[in-house]
Amino acid sequence: MEYTINKLAKMAGISTRTLRYYDEYGLLKPARARFNGYRIYGQREVDRLQHILFYRELGVPLGEIRKILQKDFNGMDALQNHLTALLAKRTQLNRLIANVEKSILAQRGEVKMTDREKLSGFAEKIDKIIADNEGRYGEEIRTKYGSDTVDRSNAKIKGMSQEDFEKVEKLREEFNAAIKAAFEEEGSSPKSRLAQKACELHKEWLCYFWDNYSKEAHTGVAQMYVDDTRFTAHFDEIAPGITTFLRDAVAIYCKTTNA
């Protein structure tokens, strides 16, 4: 069966802008184009898009996905790997769900829960976040901001309460949703109200990790997102091509806000 770009985007739950970006990025080319220029996708492209979305769900950057799919790609092996990774993710979620369920019962006085049990799984997640950040970006941010600054940030993360961590996660989700909506809205502009709201959320999120906020540092980190392909790949997971839009929105925010 064949699909137009609009039908495929709707079926996959992504935007046509994302599919066009995948085409430009060399990640997912249409099977052919009609005489009017409309992209047409066939079964091969549907299967490839399925793998792309699996890898994106697992947090793999687009550049890495492209490399994976350019190799001697084996669809069955890839599906087995997806399953293994998703099962591991489910195990972690089940552990956290069980923790929350027991916490609810403890609040009701139906069971007793030790402090160690309350924090079970949480400390493990914090350590994984720090390790992942160090592995991906440690060298770059230590060179740019200094090891003392990074160490203080890591210590601040480790000192977070579960309530703080939940606030950070919520802020991150709100920011992702706001900047994505601003980027994809018709006639999108980094000056728009929604884009500037996203920058405010981004600032709030940064303040959970930084000792001191400054406009210079905020614009600097947004520029680093553009300059470093690892950061660019991370933001491409929100919406392909969004990083420059975010950089420009932050620059406007820092010039116009009184904060």
Side-chain angles (χ1 to χ4, degrees):
M1 189 170 181
E2 291 188 331
Y3 302 92
T4 63
I5 190 171
N6 287 317
K7 287 184 178 179
L8 183 62
K10 185 176 181 180
M11 185 167 62
I14 58 179
S15 68
T16 56
R17 187 171 188 167
T18 294
L19 285 176
R20 291 190 185 96
Y21 182 76
Y22 286 170
D23 184 0
E24 295 167 5
Y25 194 66
L27 191 59
L28 180 67
K29 296 287 185 182
R32 58 188 177 84
R34 287 179 176 169
F35 65 89
N36 54 10
Y38 285 3
R39 295 169 172 84
I40 300 297
Y41 298 84
Q43 189 60 56
R44 181 174 177 274
E45 289 70 42
V46 170
D47 291 344
R48 187 177 176 90
L49 179 59
Q50 181 192 32
H51 289 297
I52 292 169
L53 297 179
F54 271 136
Y55 283 120
R56 278 191 59 191
E57 182 66 27
L58 294 170
V60 180
L62 289 183
E64 187 63 27
I65 296 174
R66 186 170 61 180
K67 289 179 184 177
I68 292 169
L69 297 181
Q70 282 176 346
K71 295 177 181 177
D72 295 330
F73 184 72
N74 185 303
M76 179 58 74
D77 287 345
L79 287 171
Q80 290 290 346
N81 290 335
H82 293 326
L83 180 60
T84 299
L86 289 169
L87 288 172
K89 192 173 183 180
R90 185 174 70 180
T91 298
Q92 173 65 8
L93 286 173
N94 285 341
R95 186 182 297 120
L96 293 173
I97 289 168
N99 186 295
V100 172
E101 288 176 339
K102 189 169 184 179
S103 297
I104 291 172
L105 294 176
Q107 287 290 319
R108 291 174 178 168
E110 297 177 23
V111 300
K112 289 186 177 181
M113 193 174 188
T114 67
D115 290 341
R116 183 179 294 276
E117 287 177 311
K118 290 176 183 177
L119 300 177
S120 171
F122 177 67
E124 177 185 336
K125 189 171 184 179
I126 290 289
D127 288 341
K128 186 176 186 303
I129 289 171
I130 293 173
D132 286 348
N133 285 341
E134 284 284 358
R136 287 186 180 185
Y137 315 119
E139 183 178 354
E140 172 69 20
I141 59 177
R142 285 180 182 277
T143 300
K144 189 173 182 67
Y145 297 108
S147 289
D148 287 345
T149 300
V150 176
D151 289 340
R152 285 198 301 271
S153 177
N154 287 342
K156 197 170 182 180
I157 296 170
K158 287 185 75 69
M160 283 183 186
S161 66
Q162 186 159 355
E163 182 180 1
D164 285 338
F165 184 77
E166 288 170 355
K167 287 179 181 177
V168 169
E169 288 288 280
K170 184 178 179 182
L171 265 176
R172 181 180 62 81
E173 291 172 1
E174 289 177 354
F175 161 71
N176 288 353
I179 195 66
K180 185 174 188 288
F183 180 64
E184 294 183 344
E185 69 181 347
E186 188 173 353
S188 59
S189 166
K191 296 180 181 179
S192 72
R193 180 193 60 81
L194 189 53
Q196 292 303 294
K197 174 61 177 175
C199 293
E200 177 66 27
L201 292 169
H202 189 242
K203 174 193 170 183
E204 290 182 42
W205 180 82
L206 287 173
C207 287
Y208 273 92
F209 303 95
W210 289 0
D211 289 334
N212 298 293
Y213 171 84
S214 72
K215 294 178 180 179
E216 293 77 11
H218 197 174
T219 54
V221 78
Q223 182 62 50
M224 185 173 68
Y225 294 158
V226 173
D227 294 339
D228 192 310
T229 56
R230 292 168 298 174
F231 287 98
T232 304
H234 168 75
F235 283 99
D236 276 344
E237 295 170 21
I238 300 173
I242 202 173
T243 319
T244 301
F245 180 86
L246 172 60
R247 187 269 314 275
D248 294 344
V250 168
I252 294 168
Y253 174 82
C254 291
K255 285 180 180 177
T256 57
T257 186
N258 293 323

